[in-house]
Amino acid sequence: MTKTIMLAAFEGWNDACQAATNVIRHLVSRYDSQEVRHINDEGFYDYQVARPMIYSVQGHRRIIWPQTTFYDITVSPELHFLAQIAPEPNYRWEEYCRKTLRIAEDYDVNEVVTIGSMFADCPHTRPLPLDISKGDCECELDKRYNGPIGIPNILDAIAADGGFSTTSMWVSVPQYFNNVECMQGTLELIHALSILLEQPLNEGDLARKAAQWRKEADDMVENMHTGDYIRQLEHEYDLSVKAQEITSNGAPACEQLIREAEAFLKDQPFAGY
């Protein structure tokens, strides 16, 4: 029996350094894929934000309007993705999401996975932070975050209300290195999908591209003399990882972590502000 999972990523605010939408592009390029459905504009876009594009094809000029594209991606005889990729709509999000889920129902989808990427204070020299929430589970990120959300969050919520099983995946990418595609983020999301599905996904040349991304980030940090800033981020990252590891070890271990954090902050120029 074939299982079809909907995988959705959106360009724009939810797609720092294209780490999320490049997951869809990568899967389309590595597996047998067919373009199967679309959601055309129908008033979902502000053309001053998501502008139409003009191309010359065999000597003929063609205008491409913003739209949503769905691909049927055959991962194996037992597993397909219904992959959705689109610019984030500007208007009528609820209607857009319900239209999306009607298409999902046409393909017998019962599980929806939304993916996104965001800028954060994280070092490129460590594994990029990955936040995953499944169904109605309130992870620690959900509890502490208050602020704007994007279309992946709305689609996830409406899908859950509609009876779909849902998973949300977000990778954080360094905000100081924001002018190139973050292939490390794409690789982290592919890894997470493989674990979620218990199905190894074809990584192709992502590991090589991720290594090149890290090398370019190293060169940028060296040229801009931001080593102290990166070391600060590394220390904060390592403290966070250590905190997660010792949370279950009781008060003495936690007190030791607090003392280490306080000692580190006292050495920083911004201490006491």
Side-chain angles (χ1 to χ4, degrees):
M1 182 176 178
T2 301
K3 180 178 183 179
T4 301
I5 295 174
M6 184 174 162
L7 183 64
F10 298 88
E11 299 168 355
W13 190 78
N14 315 277
D15 190 31
C17 294
Q18 300 180 49
T21 53
N22 275 341
V23 170
I24 305 293
R25 298 183 185 100
H26 172 79
L27 294 172
V28 167
S29 71
R30 292 291 167 174
Y31 293 99
D32 181 22
S33 305
Q34 303 294 326
E35 193 172 319
V36 290
R37 297 286 287 272
H38 299 93
I39 297 177
N40 295 318
D41 168 55
E42 299 184 18
F44 292 123
Y45 290 102
D46 177 348
Y47 292 143
Q48 291 183 325
V49 178
R51 289 187 177 273
M53 305 292 288
I54 190 164
Y55 295 95
S56 180
V57 180
Q58 296 181 339
H60 297 281
R61 304 289 276 174
R62 183 183 177 191
I63 295 176
I64 307 296
W65 299 90
Q67 68 173 4
T68 300
T69 302
F70 294 86
Y71 294 92
D72 181 359
I73 303 175
T74 304
V75 177
S76 71
E78 295 78 29
L79 177 64
H80 284 229
F81 283 127
L82 178 65
Q84 176 184 18
I85 185 170
E88 182 179 49
N90 304 106
Y91 307 117
R92 298 158 55 193
W93 281 12
E94 185 172 355
E95 179 183 345
Y96 176 89
C97 290
R98 297 197 184 284
K99 188 180 288 285
T100 291
L101 294 174
R102 284 197 292 272
I103 293 173
E105 290 171 348
D106 290 343
Y107 286 84
D108 296 323
V109 166
N110 57 24
E111 183 171 356
V112 176
V113 179
T114 56
I115 54 177
S117 53
M118 67 185 104
F119 290 118
D121 290 321
C122 58
H124 72 280
T125 52
R126 299 290 190 270
L128 298 180
L130 195 66
D131 291 295
I132 301 173
S133 59
K134 190 169 178 62
D136 295 329
C137 174
E138 289 192 2
C139 64
E140 287 303 313
L141 177 69
D142 295 329
K143 293 176 182 177
R144 68 174 180 261
Y145 178 74
N146 295 284
I149 58 175
I151 193 72
N153 307 86
I154 302 299
L155 178 59
D156 182 82
I158 293 178
D161 288 344
F164 291 87
S165 173
T166 62
T167 302
S168 176
M169 296 183 174
W170 287 82
V171 67
S172 296
V173 303
Q175 61 182 1
Y176 60 83
F177 192 47
N178 59 11
N179 58 346
V180 296
E181 296 180 10
C182 181
M183 303 312 295
Q184 180 66 42
T186 299
L187 182 60
E188 300 276 5
L189 287 168
I190 289 287
H191 281 166
L193 276 172
S194 295
I195 294 170
L196 174 71
L197 303 173
E198 299 181 343
Q199 167 81 46
L201 295 174
N202 186 336
E203 295 179 4
D205 59 353
L206 281 179
R208 178 188 62 80
K209 291 179 178 178
Q212 178 62 31
W213 175 84
R214 292 192 298 272
K215 173 64 168 57
E216 292 175 3
D218 285 340
D219 293 342
M220 186 275 293
V221 168
E222 183 177 353
N223 292 336
M224 295 184 66
H225 307 291
T226 55
D228 289 343
Y229 172 62
I230 301 303
R231 282 188 288 274
Q232 174 188 326
L233 293 180
E234 289 173 339
H235 190 85
E236 292 172 352
Y237 182 98
D238 293 342
L239 281 176
S240 177
V241 170
K242 188 174 181 180
Q244 293 175 19
E245 291 175 350
I246 69 175
T247 296
S248 61
N249 291 341
C254 292
E255 290 172 0
Q256 175 61 28
L257 178 66
I258 292 171
R259 285 194 293 270
E260 291 180 15
E262 289 175 342
F264 170 73
L265 292 173
K266 286 178 182 177
D267 293 334
Q268 303 308 304
F270 52 82
Y273 284 85

PDB file of all heavy atoms in Angstrom, residues 201-217:
ATOM      1  N   LEU A 201      16.681   9.240   2.909  1.00  0.00           N
ATOM      2  CA  LEU A 201      16.430  10.001   1.688  1.00  0.00           C
ATOM      3  C   LEU A 201      17.739  10.273   0.959  1.00  0.00           C
ATOM      4  O   LEU A 201      18.789  10.418   1.580  1.00  0.00           O
ATOM      5  CB  LEU A 201      15.743  11.332   2.037  1.00  0.00           C
ATOM      6  CG  LEU A 201      14.337  11.208   2.634  1.00  0.00           C
ATOM      7  CD1 LEU A 201      13.826  12.576   3.071  1.00  0.00           C
ATOM      8  CD2 LEU A 201      13.373  10.568   1.648  1.00  0.00           C
ATOM      9  N   ASN A 202      17.664  10.322  -0.344  1.00  0.00           N
ATOM     10  CA  ASN A 202      18.833  10.547  -1.194  1.00  0.00           C
ATOM     11  C   ASN A 202      19.379  11.952  -0.935  1.00  0.00           C
ATOM     12  O   ASN A 202      18.726  12.950  -1.233  1.00  0.00           O
ATOM     13  CB  ASN A 202      18.435  10.382  -2.664  1.00  0.00           C
ATOM     14  CG  ASN A 202      19.624  10.452  -3.601  1.00  0.00           C
ATOM     15  OD1 ASN A 202      20.653  11.023  -3.286  1.00  0.00           O
ATOM     16  ND2 ASN A 202      19.475   9.863  -4.777  1.00  0.00           N
ATOM     17  N   GLU A 203      20.601  12.027  -0.403  1.00  0.00           N
ATOM     18  CA  GLU A 203      21.213  13.326  -0.101  1.00  0.00           C
ATOM     19  C   GLU A 203      22.000  13.894  -1.272  1.00  0.00           C
ATOM     20  O   GLU A 203      22.358  15.076  -1.250  1.00  0.00           O
ATOM     21  CB  GLU A 203      22.123  13.204   1.132  1.00  0.00           C
ATOM     22  CG  GLU A 203      21.357  12.864   2.398  1.00  0.00           C
ATOM     23  CD  GLU A 203      22.268  12.717   3.600  1.00  0.00           C
ATOM     24  OE1 GLU A 203      23.500  12.954   3.457  1.00  0.00           O
ATOM     25  OE2 GLU A 203      21.762  12.376   4.690  1.00  0.00           O
ATOM     26  N   GLY A 204      22.258  13.073  -2.283  1.00  0.00           N
ATOM     27  CA  GLY A 204      22.983  13.561  -3.452  1.00  0.00           C
ATOM     28  C   GLY A 204      24.286  14.228  -3.061  1.00  0.00           C
ATOM     29  O   GLY A 204      25.085  13.683  -2.305  1.00  0.00           O
ATOM     30  N   ASP A 205      24.493  15.443  -3.559  1.00  0.00           N
ATOM     31  CA  ASP A 205      25.727  16.182  -3.264  1.00  0.00           C
ATOM     32  C   ASP A 205      25.524  17.242  -2.180  1.00  0.00           C
ATOM     33  O   ASP A 205      26.305  18.191  -2.080  1.00  0.00           O
ATOM     34  CB  ASP A 205      26.274  16.826  -4.535  1.00  0.00           C
ATOM     35  CG  ASP A 205      25.286  17.792  -5.182  1.00  0.00           C
ATOM     36  OD1 ASP A 205      24.123  17.854  -4.720  1.00  0.00           O
ATOM     37  OD2 ASP A 205      25.667  18.473  -6.149  1.00  0.00           O
ATOM     38  N   LEU A 206      24.498  17.081  -1.350  1.00  0.00           N
ATOM     39  CA  LEU A 206      24.241  18.073  -0.303  1.00  0.00           C
ATOM     40  C   LEU A 206      25.390  18.175   0.685  1.00  0.00           C
ATOM     41  O   LEU A 206      25.710  19.269   1.168  1.00  0.00           O
ATOM     42  CB  LEU A 206      22.945  17.745   0.443  1.00  0.00           C
ATOM     43  CG  LEU A 206      21.629  18.134  -0.236  1.00  0.00           C
ATOM     44  CD1 LEU A 206      20.450  17.716   0.629  1.00  0.00           C
ATOM     45  CD2 LEU A 206      21.577  19.635  -0.515  1.00  0.00           C
ATOM     46  N   ALA A 207      26.027  17.052   1.020  1.00  0.00           N
ATOM     47  CA  ALA A 207      27.133  17.096   1.979  1.00  0.00           C
ATOM     48  C   ALA A 207      28.276  17.949   1.430  1.00  0.00           C
ATOM     49  O   ALA A 207      28.887  18.737   2.169  1.00  0.00           O
ATOM     50  CB  ALA A 207      27.617  15.687   2.297  1.00  0.00           C
ATOM     51  N   ARG A 208      28.560  17.802   0.143  1.00  0.00           N
ATOM     52  CA  ARG A 208      29.628  18.618  -0.460  1.00  0.00           C
ATOM     53  C   ARG A 208      29.240  20.096  -0.460  1.00  0.00           C
ATOM     54  O   ARG A 208      30.060  20.965  -0.129  1.00  0.00           O
ATOM     55  CB  ARG A 208      29.887  18.146  -1.900  1.00  0.00           C
ATOM     56  CG  ARG A 208      30.954  18.971  -2.630  1.00  0.00           C
ATOM     57  CD  ARG A 208      31.048  18.602  -4.093  1.00  0.00           C
ATOM     58  NE  ARG A 208      29.811  18.851  -4.807  1.00  0.00           N
ATOM     59  CZ  ARG A 208      29.429  20.045  -5.249  1.00  0.00           C
ATOM     60  NH1 ARG A 208      30.181  21.128  -5.004  1.00  0.00           N
ATOM     61  NH2 ARG A 208      28.295  20.190  -5.905  1.00  0.00           N
ATOM     62  N   LYS A 209      27.990  20.399  -0.809  1.00  0.00           N
ATOM     63  CA  LYS A 209      27.536  21.785  -0.834  1.00  0.00           C
ATOM     64  C   LYS A 209      27.523  22.382   0.567  1.00  0.00           C
ATOM     65  O   LYS A 209      27.838  23.565   0.746  1.00  0.00           O
ATOM     66  CB  LYS A 209      26.149  21.865  -1.464  1.00  0.00           C
ATOM     67  CG  LYS A 209      26.128  21.562  -2.953  1.00  0.00           C
ATOM     68  CD  LYS A 209      24.718  21.641  -3.512  1.00  0.00           C
ATOM     69  CE  LYS A 209      24.700  21.386  -5.012  1.00  0.00           C
ATOM     70  NZ  LYS A 209      23.308  21.423  -5.558  1.00  0.00           N
ATOM     71  N   ALA A 210      27.171  21.567   1.564  1.00  0.00           N
ATOM     72  CA  ALA A 210      27.176  22.058   2.942  1.00  0.00           C
ATOM     73  C   ALA A 210      28.596  22.361   3.400  1.00  0.00           C
ATOM     74  O   ALA A 210      28.836  23.359   4.090  1.00  0.00           O
ATOM     75  CB  ALA A 210      26.523  21.026   3.864  1.00  0.00           C
ATOM     76  N   ALA A 211      29.549  21.511   3.023  1.00  0.00           N
ATOM     77  CA  ALA A 211      30.949  21.757   3.373  1.00  0.00           C
ATOM     78  C   ALA A 211      31.449  23.041   2.720  1.00  0.00           C
ATOM     79  O   ALA A 211      32.198  23.822   3.339  1.00  0.00           O
ATOM     80  CB  ALA A 211      31.813  20.569   2.952  1.00  0.00           C
ATOM     81  N   GLN A 212      31.029  23.291   1.485  1.00  0.00           N
ATOM     82  CA  GLN A 212      31.421  24.521   0.797  1.00  0.00           C
ATOM     83  C   GLN A 212      30.817  25.739   1.498  1.00  0.00           C
ATOM     84  O   GLN A 212      31.474  26.785   1.640  1.00  0.00           O
ATOM     85  CB  GLN A 212      30.961  24.473  -0.660  1.00  0.00           C
ATOM     86  CG  GLN A 212      31.274  25.716  -1.479  1.00  0.00           C
ATOM     87  CD  GLN A 212      32.760  25.990  -1.589  1.00  0.00           C
ATOM     88  OE1 GLN A 212      33.567  25.049  -1.591  1.00  0.00           O
ATOM     89  NE2 GLN A 212      33.139  27.262  -1.691  1.00  0.00           N
ATOM     90  N   TRP A 213      29.572  25.601   1.952  1.00  0.00           N
ATOM     91  CA  TRP A 213      28.916  26.693   2.691  1.00  0.00           C
ATOM     92  C   TRP A 213      29.694  27.022   3.962  1.00  0.00           C
ATOM     93  O   TRP A 213      29.926  28.187   4.276  1.00  0.00           O
ATOM     94  CB  TRP A 213      27.480  26.294   3.018  1.00  0.00           C
ATOM     95  CG  TRP A 213      26.738  27.278   3.873  1.00  0.00           C
ATOM     96  CD1 TRP A 213      26.087  28.400   3.462  1.00  0.00           C
ATOM     97  CD2 TRP A 213      26.586  27.229   5.309  1.00  0.00           C
ATOM     98  NE1 TRP A 213      25.527  29.056   4.544  1.00  0.00           N
ATOM     99  CE2 TRP A 213      25.826  28.360   5.682  1.00  0.00           C
ATOM    100  CE3 TRP A 213      27.010  26.343   6.290  1.00  0.00           C
ATOM    101  CZ2 TRP A 213      25.483  28.622   7.005  1.00  0.00           C
ATOM    102  CZ3 TRP A 213      26.672  26.602   7.608  1.00  0.00           C
ATOM    103  CH2 TRP A 213      25.922  27.724   7.953  1.00  0.00           C
ATOM    104  N   ARG A 214      30.119  25.976   4.696  1.00  0.00           N
ATOM    105  CA  ARG A 214      30.879  26.208   5.930  1.00  0.00           C
ATOM    106  C   ARG A 214      32.222  26.867   5.627  1.00  0.00           C
ATOM    107  O   ARG A 214      32.679  27.744   6.380  1.00  0.00           O
ATOM    108  CB  ARG A 214      31.085  24.882   6.681  1.00  0.00           C
ATOM    109  CG  ARG A 214      29.798  24.306   7.254  1.00  0.00           C
ATOM    110  CD  ARG A 214      30.075  23.170   8.223  1.00  0.00           C
ATOM    111  NE  ARG A 214      30.759  22.044   7.578  1.00  0.00           N
ATOM    112  CZ  ARG A 214      30.129  21.047   6.973  1.00  0.00           C
ATOM    113  NH1 ARG A 214      28.809  21.034   6.897  1.00  0.00           N
ATOM    114  NH2 ARG A 214      30.815  20.066   6.444  1.00  0.00           N
ATOM    115  N   LYS A 215      32.858  26.459   4.522  1.00  0.00           N
ATOM    116  CA  LYS A 215      34.145  27.067   4.139  1.00  0.00           C
ATOM    117  C   LYS A 215      33.959  28.548   3.809  1.00  0.00           C
ATOM    118  O   LYS A 215      34.772  29.398   4.227  1.00  0.00           O
ATOM    119  CB  LYS A 215      34.713  26.325   2.927  1.00  0.00           C
ATOM    120  CG  LYS A 215      35.966  26.941   2.318  1.00  0.00           C
ATOM    121  CD  LYS A 215      37.134  26.922   3.294  1.00  0.00           C
ATOM    122  CE  LYS A 215      38.460  27.260   2.608  1.00  0.00           C
ATOM    123  NZ  LYS A 215      38.466  28.556   1.929  1.00  0.00           N
ATOM    124  N   GLU A 216      32.914  28.876   3.076  1.00  0.00           N
ATOM    125  CA  GLU A 216      32.653  30.277   2.737  1.00  0.00           C
ATOM    126  C   GLU A 216      32.352  31.087   4.001  1.00  0.00           C
ATOM    127  O   GLU A 216      32.761  32.251   4.111  1.00  0.00           O
ATOM    128  CB  GLU A 216      31.490  30.361   1.751  1.00  0.00           C
ATOM    129  CG  GLU A 216      31.818  29.796   0.365  1.00  0.00           C
ATOM    130  CD  GLU A 216      30.608  29.795  -0.550  1.00  0.00           C
ATOM    131  OE1 GLU A 216      29.537  30.286  -0.135  1.00  0.00           O
ATOM    132  OE2 GLU A 216      30.733  29.294  -1.685  1.00  0.00           O
ATOM    133  N   ALA A 217      31.640  30.479   4.953  1.00  0.00           N
ATOM    134  CA  ALA A 217      31.361  31.173   6.215  1.00  0.00           C
ATOM    135  C   ALA A 217      32.654  31.394   6.998  1.00  0.00           C
ATOM    136  O   ALA A 217      32.855  32.469   7.589  1.00  0.00           O
ATOM    137  CB  ALA A 217      30.359  30.372   7.045  1.00  0.00           C
TER     138      ALA A 217
END
